[in-house]
Amino acid sequence: MSPAILLLLAVGLGLAGWIAARSRAWAFKREAAAGERLAALPTYHAWYVALWIIIPMTLFIILWATTSPYLINQSVLASDAAAGLPAVDFQREALLREARAVADGSRPGVFNQDAKVLIEPFREAISRNNLIGILGSLIVGFLGGVWSFLRLKPDFTARTRVEKTVMSILLLASLVAILTTLGIVVSLVFETVRFFGMVSPIDFLFGTHWGPDPMANPENPDPTRYGAIPLFWGTIYIGAIIAMIVAIPLGLMSAIYLTQYASPKLRSWLKPALEILAGVPTVVYGYFAALTVAPFVRDIAVSIGISNASSESALAAGLVMGVMIIPFVSSMADDSIAAVPQAMRDGSLAMGATTSETIKRVLVPAALPGIVAGIMLAISRAIGETMIVVMAAGAAANLSANPLEAMTTVTFQIVAMLTGEGSFDHPATLSAFALGFVLFLVTLGLNFVALRVVKRFREAYE
Amino acid sequence: MVTVIHPNLEKTDAKMNAKDVSVYYGDKMAIDNVSIEIPTKYVTAFIGPSGCGKSTFLRTMNRMNDTIPSARVEGEITLDGEDIYKSKMDVVQLRARVGMVFQKPNPFPKSIYDNIAYGPKIHGIAEGKDELDAIVETSLQRAGLWNEVKDRLADSGTALSGGQQQRLCIARAIAVDPEVILMDEPCSALDPIATAKIEELIADLNGSYAIVIVTHSMQQAARVSQRTAFFHLGKMVEYGRTSDIFTNPLEQRTQDYITGRYG
Ligand SMILES: Nc1ncnc2c1ncn2[C@@H]1O[C@H](COP(=O)(O)OP(=O)(O)OP(=O)(O)O)[C@@H](O)[C@H]1O
Ligand SMILES: [Mg+2]
C-alpha cells in the first residue's frame, strides 16, 4: 500500500465530505426564514469539512509512511526467525534489506540463503502495517469529517475558518524554503566544524599555500597545505575585480542609455535583449570562455611578447564573467535611475544643465545607493559562479596579480575536492564544506547589506 | 476668436514676446494661438481653470517642453527679440537666462550649498571658491533663506521644510542670474505662512527680473502681480493690468472665473 494511494483515498473522502457539507448548508439555507442569511456561503461550509478530512488524513499518512519502515524492521527483528541473524551490523542490514525486497515484490528471489527465513515475517509485518495505514487514515479522516460536520450551523463562520487554514497552508509553503535553507546551513556548519577539528581555522584562513592531498593520512593532515588565501584571492580577483571592471562601466552605461536616451520603442526591445544575457546557462559562457576568449587572450599576450602566457587565465574567466554579470548591474541601475523622480531631472534641465550633466551630477548621485546595491548583488553572484572558472580559470592555486596566469577559485576547489579521490571524512574532502561555508557567509553578508541599502533608498523617495 | 486686451494697458518694454503660439501634444491642441508680451521688471500672473494650458504655455517659454517627446510648438517666442525656437538656439544658455520654479519643491539630494552652487558650477559663472561662496550667500539672502540655513549649509536640501525647500529652489534659480523667472504654482504645496514668505520674496524680486507666475489663487494673483492673463481651454481670453482684470473684466468668462462662479 503506497502513501500515494492513501492520499488519493484522503482526497476522495474529502470530496465526499465536501458534497455532504454543501448539501447540508443548502438545507440550512432552505430552512432559513426569508431575509435571513447564512454566516458563510455553502461552499465555505463544504471546504471547511473537506479540509478537516484531508489535512488530518494527510498528516497521519505522512507519519505512517515515515515510521512504517522502521516499525516493520522492528517487528521482524522481534520475531523468532531473526534470532539466527549475524550480530555484525552491516551484514544484518544487508540480509534484512534483501528479504524485504523479496517480500514487497521488488525482487524475484534471494541471493543469500540466510535471508530466506526472513521473507515470511516480512510479508506478515508489511501486510499488518498496510492494514494499520488504511484503517488509521480512514478513522482519522472519518473523525475529522464527523466532528466538523456536526459543527455546521446556519450561523457558523466557516468562511473565516477556511481563510485561516488557507493562510496557514501558505505560511507552511514559505517555511519549506526557509527551513530547507536552514537545513543546508546546519549541515554545512556541521561538516565545517569537523574540518576545523582537523585543520585549524588560522591555518585555513591565513595560510598561503593550497594543495590538499587526498591520499595523505587523514589522521594528521599537513596544515600548511590547507591555506585558502590563494583561493580567496583568485575568487576576488576574477569575480570582484576583473569581472567588475567589465560589468560596472558597461552595465551602468547601458542603464543610462536605456533610461535617458533610448526611445521607448528601442528600449522596449533592448532591455529584454539585455536581460536575456542573464538567462544564458553559465556552462555556455564557460565554454565560450575556455574555447574562444582564453586562446584569444593567450595569443594577444604572446603577440606582445609574453611568451609564457598560459591558455587558462584569470583574465579570460573574469572577462566572460563580467559580461555575464552586466544584466545584474544594469537592471538594478536602470530601476534606481528610473526611480529618481522626474521633478529632479526637470529641475536640473531647467537650470540649463545638459542631459549628460544632469545624469552625472543629479541622477547618478541620487540613484547611487541602488546602483551600489546592484553591484554588490552582482559581486555576490560572480564569486559564487562556478562553471566559467571551472572551464577557463584553471586549477593552479596561484597567489599572483598577473591576470594572464591561471588561478583558481573557491567554487572551483569545492568541486575539485568533492569529486576528488579522498574518502568522505578525509580533511581534503571536508575542506570543501569549509570553503562553501566561507563563501556562503560572504555572499549572505553582501546580499544583506545590499537589500538594506535598497530599502533605505526606496524609503527616501516615498 | 482673439484675446481681449485691456485698452488702458500702457506700453512697456517686452522681455519676451510670444506671437501666435500654438502647442500640440501629438494631435491634441493644448494652446491655441496665444500672443502675449512679457514685460521686464513686472510680475505677470497666468490664471485659469485646471487643464487650460497654463503650465504648457509656461514650459514653452524656456523650452522645457522639449523633454516631452510628443509636444510640438508653432508660432514664435522671442527673448530680447531673438527667436528661442530657431534651430541654432542654445537651449542650455536659454534655460540659464529663463529660470524655472516648479509646483512641487524639487531640491537635489545634495547639500544646501551644492544645490545653490549647481547652476553657477555648470555654467562656469563663479571663478574660484570665494566667488562661489559669495553667490551662494547672496542667492540665499535674496530668497530670504540665509538666516535660517547659514549654519547648516552642508545639510541635505531635502531635509528642509516644504516652504524652505521652495525658497531654496528659488534661490537656486536666481543663483545663475536669470533674466526671466517662470514659476508654476510655486505655493500650491505650501501652508499659508510659507506662502506668505514666498509672496514677500516675489515682491522683493520684482523690479529685477521679469517674473511669470501661474496660480490658482485669485488673491495671490491680485497681491503679487501687475499683469494678469486669463486662460481658458487653451486660449488666452483676456489680458491686462491686474487691477483692471479683477475690478473690471471685459469678458463674461473672466468675470465668472474670478468671482468663483466657474470651476
Ligand atoms: N505631457 C502631456 N502629454 C499630453 N497631454 C498633456 C501633457 N501635459 C498636459 N497635457 C494636456 O494639455 C492640456 C493643458 O495642460 P496643462 O498642464 O498645461 O494645464 P494647466 O492649465 O497647467 O492645468 P493645472 O492648473 O491643473 O496645472 C491638458 O488638457 C492636459 O491634459
Ligand atoms: Mg499646471
Side-chain angles (χ1 to χ4, degrees):
Chain A
M1 181 63 50
S2 78
I5 295 178
L6 286 180
L7 284 176
L8 220 59
L9 190 69
V11 172
L13 213 57
L15 185 68
W18 194 90
I19 293 169
R22 199 174 130 99
S23 55
R24 175 120 172 100
W26 275 111
F28 289 147
K29 205 166 178 175
R30 275 193 301 275
E31 289 158 18
E36 246 182 280
R37 288 197 302 157
L38 296 189
L41 292 177
T43 11
Y44 282 112
H45 287 90
W47 274 116
Y48 178 72
V49 172
L51 288 171
W52 259 107
I53 295 171
I54 293 173
I55 293 174
M57 272 180 93
T58 310
L59 292 179
F60 178 83
I61 292 165
I62 291 172
L63 189 72
W64 172 80
T66 46
T67 56
S68 65
Y70 175 76
L71 292 178
I72 291 173
N73 267 1
Q74 285 303 305
S75 70
V76 169
L77 284 176
S79 72
D80 300 337
L85 277 180
V88 188
D89 246 6
F90 71 91
Q91 286 178 355
R92 196 171 55 186
E93 288 296 321
L95 287 176
L96 283 171
R97 216 174 302 130
E98 210 173 326
R100 183 175 188 158
V102 176
D104 66 17
S106 56
R107 254 174 83 167
V110 288
F111 166 75
N112 199 325
Q113 291 308 314
D114 290 346
K116 227 169 197 163
V117 288
L118 291 169
I119 295 176
E120 214 31 55
F122 256 117
R123 283 225 172 92
E124 268 168 38
I126 288 174
S127 64
R128 195 166 48 236
N129 201 62
N130 279 347
L131 201 64
I132 294 174
I134 297 177
L135 284 183
S137 53
L138 277 178
I139 291 172
V140 168
F142 190 72
L143 286 180
V146 168
W147 185 78
S148 57
F149 192 82
L150 291 178
R151 297 192 68 191
L152 299 186
K153 274 184 302 193
D155 61 352
F156 181 65
T157 53
R159 191 175 173 197
T160 48
R161 281 158 207 268
V162 170
E163 180 67 25
K164 272 190 199 136
T165 317
V166 168
M167 194 201 76
S168 335
I169 292 175
L170 296 180
L171 178 69
L172 212 67
S174 54
L175 283 184
V176 167
I178 295 172
L179 291 179
T180 312
T181 315
L182 272 181
I184 294 172
V185 175
V186 169
S187 68
L188 210 53
V189 169
F190 189 72
E191 303 296 347
T192 304
V193 168
R194 263 179 78 190
F195 172 71
F196 284 146
M198 304 174 188
V199 176
S200 100
I202 308 283
D203 290 329
F204 175 73
L205 289 176
F206 301 107
T208 56
H209 172 66
W210 180 262
D213 178 5
M215 291 299 130
N217 176 13
E219 292 309 319
N220 54 354
D222 177 4
T224 59
R225 288 174 151 269
Y226 288 90
I229 289 281
L231 310 189
F232 296 149
W233 167 245
T235 304
I236 291 171
Y237 196 49
I238 294 176
I241 298 179
I242 300 178
M244 289 304 136
I245 288 175
V246 175
I248 294 175
L250 290 181
L252 263 186
M253 285 192 272
S254 58
I256 288 171
Y257 178 75
L258 283 176
T259 52
Q260 303 302 318
Y261 290 99
S263 70
K265 199 163 152 238
L266 188 63
R267 180 183 160 90
S268 72
W269 73 261
L270 213 54
K271 195 169 148 70
L274 195 62
E275 274 156 10
I276 284 177
L277 279 183
V280 176
T282 54
V283 66
V284 174
Y285 282 110
Y287 59 68
F288 176 62
L291 301 182
T292 313
V293 179
F296 181 71
V297 165
R298 189 206 41 221
D299 291 348
I300 298 242
V302 170
S303 74
I304 59 172
I306 306 169
S307 53
N308 62 347
S310 89
S311 67
E312 289 175 325
S313 65
L315 187 60
L319 288 177
V320 174
M321 201 186 282
V323 172
M324 183 190 82
I325 295 297
I326 288 174
F328 290 83
V329 177
S330 80
S331 82
M332 276 290 273
D334 186 321
D335 288 349
S336 38
I337 291 175
V340 177
Q342 178 70 21
M344 215 78 91
R345 187 167 173 251
D346 282 352
S348 171
L349 292 174
M351 295 294 303
T354 61
T355 308
S356 63
E357 281 165 346
T358 302
I359 292 165
K360 194 175 80 190
R361 290 167 177 266
V362 176
L363 296 182
V364 170
L368 201 58
I371 294 172
V372 170
I375 290 171
M376 284 175 164
L377 290 179
I379 292 178
S380 90
R381 180 78 173 68
I383 63 178
E385 165 52 34
T386 313
M387 266 347 269
I388 294 176
V389 289
V390 166
M391 297 173 80
N398 283 326
L399 191 55
S400 151
N402 178 0
L404 295 172
E405 249 176 77
M407 267 178 217
T408 191
T409 65
V410 172
T411 50
F412 183 104
Q413 289 304 320
I414 292 176
V415 174
M417 292 299 124
L418 282 180
T419 55
E421 276 113 80
S423 68
F424 195 72
D425 39 15
H426 192 283
T429 313
L430 289 177
S431 70
F433 294 98
L435 289 173
F437 188 62
V438 172
L439 193 63
F440 173 80
L441 284 186
V442 171
T443 46
L444 188 74
L446 279 171
N447 287 6
F448 182 74
V449 173
L451 291 180
R452 291 202 56 132
V453 171
V454 171
K455 186 156 165 272
R456 188 107 50 76
F457 175 66
R458 294 251 157 81
E459 279 162 5
Y461 288 116
E462 263 155 25
Chain B
M1 199 220 53
V2 284
T3 310
V4 174
I5 311 252
H6 275 253
N8 53 354
L9 184 68
E10 64 282 79
K11 192 88 188 106
T12 46
D13 293 340
K15 185 75 198 172
M16 296 192 79
N17 199 342
K19 236 187 270 158
D20 305 327
V21 172
S22 297
V23 184
Y24 300 83
Y25 290 112
D27 295 333
K28 197 172 144 275
M29 185 178 235
I31 287 291
D32 184 2
N33 216 354
V34 167
S35 300
I36 188 173
E37 288 188 357
I38 304 295
T40 27
K41 307 194 172 163
Y42 279 118
V43 178
T44 305
F46 288 175
I47 60 170
S50 193
C52 66
K54 305 177 298 288
S55 301
T56 301
F57 189 63
L58 203 68
R59 290 168 68 95
T60 59
M61 294 174 52
N62 70 344
R63 293 190 55 172
M64 274 305 283
N65 54 1
D66 288 9
T67 61
I68 302 168
S70 67
R72 185 163 53 83
V73 178
E74 282 173 6
E76 188 187 64
I77 299 181
T78 58
L79 173 64
D80 286 337
E82 183 189 18
D83 181 6
I84 65 170
Y85 278 91
K86 69 179 185 198
S87 54
K88 270 186 291 179
M89 187 70 206
D90 180 357
V91 181
V92 166
Q93 212 43 49
L94 168 72
R95 290 184 188 144
R97 291 172 66 192
V98 183
M100 189 159 204
V101 176
F102 295 83
Q103 178 169 1
K104 253 183 82 190
N106 58 348
F108 302 130
K110 295 170 177 286
S111 71
I112 294 172
Y113 183 95
D114 286 337
N115 262 280
I116 309 292
Y118 185 77
K121 268 189 196 156
I122 57 176
H123 294 300
I125 290 173
E127 276 166 24
K129 174 101 174 85
D130 290 347
E131 206 173 324
L132 197 59
D133 288 349
I135 291 178
V136 170
E137 180 171 347
T138 45
S139 306
L140 284 169
Q141 253 158 2
R142 301 197 65 179
L145 197 57
W146 176 250
N147 286 332
E148 289 158 64
V149 301
K150 64 174 180 237
D151 301 321
R152 42 193 280 223
L153 291 176
D155 288 8
S156 171
T158 51
L160 296 171
S161 76
Q164 288 174 325
Q165 287 188 14
Q166 194 61 301
R167 278 181 283 151
L168 182 67
C169 291
I170 295 176
R172 184 175 77 185
I174 56 186
V176 291
D177 202 22
E179 295 152 41
V180 182
I181 303 177
L182 310 172
M183 300 186 179
D184 192 352
E185 302 183 41
C187 303
S188 65
L190 305 182
D191 67 42
I193 294 172
T195 301
K197 282 225 166 95
I198 303 275
E199 286 180 7
E200 216 175 285
L201 167 58
I202 293 172
D204 286 346
L205 298 177
N206 188 13
S208 318
Y209 309 90
I211 297 177
V212 183
I213 179 172
V214 171
T215 175
H216 275 282
S217 153
M218 302 306 128
Q219 291 88 338
Q220 184 169 69
R223 278 194 300 264
V224 303
S225 73
Q226 293 78 47
R227 296 281 179 275
T228 295
F230 172 62
F231 284 74
H232 187 225
L233 296 177
K235 297 190 171 67
M236 193 167 92
V237 174
E238 189 167 347
Y239 176 61
R241 289 203 304 222
T242 300
S243 52
D244 290 339
I245 296 276
F246 280 97
T247 54
N248 182 27
L250 301 176
E251 272 281 317
Q252 185 61 39
R253 278 176 293 169
T254 317
Q255 165 97 38
D256 288 350
Y257 183 71
I258 60 180
T259 54
R261 243 175 288 150
Y262 187 97

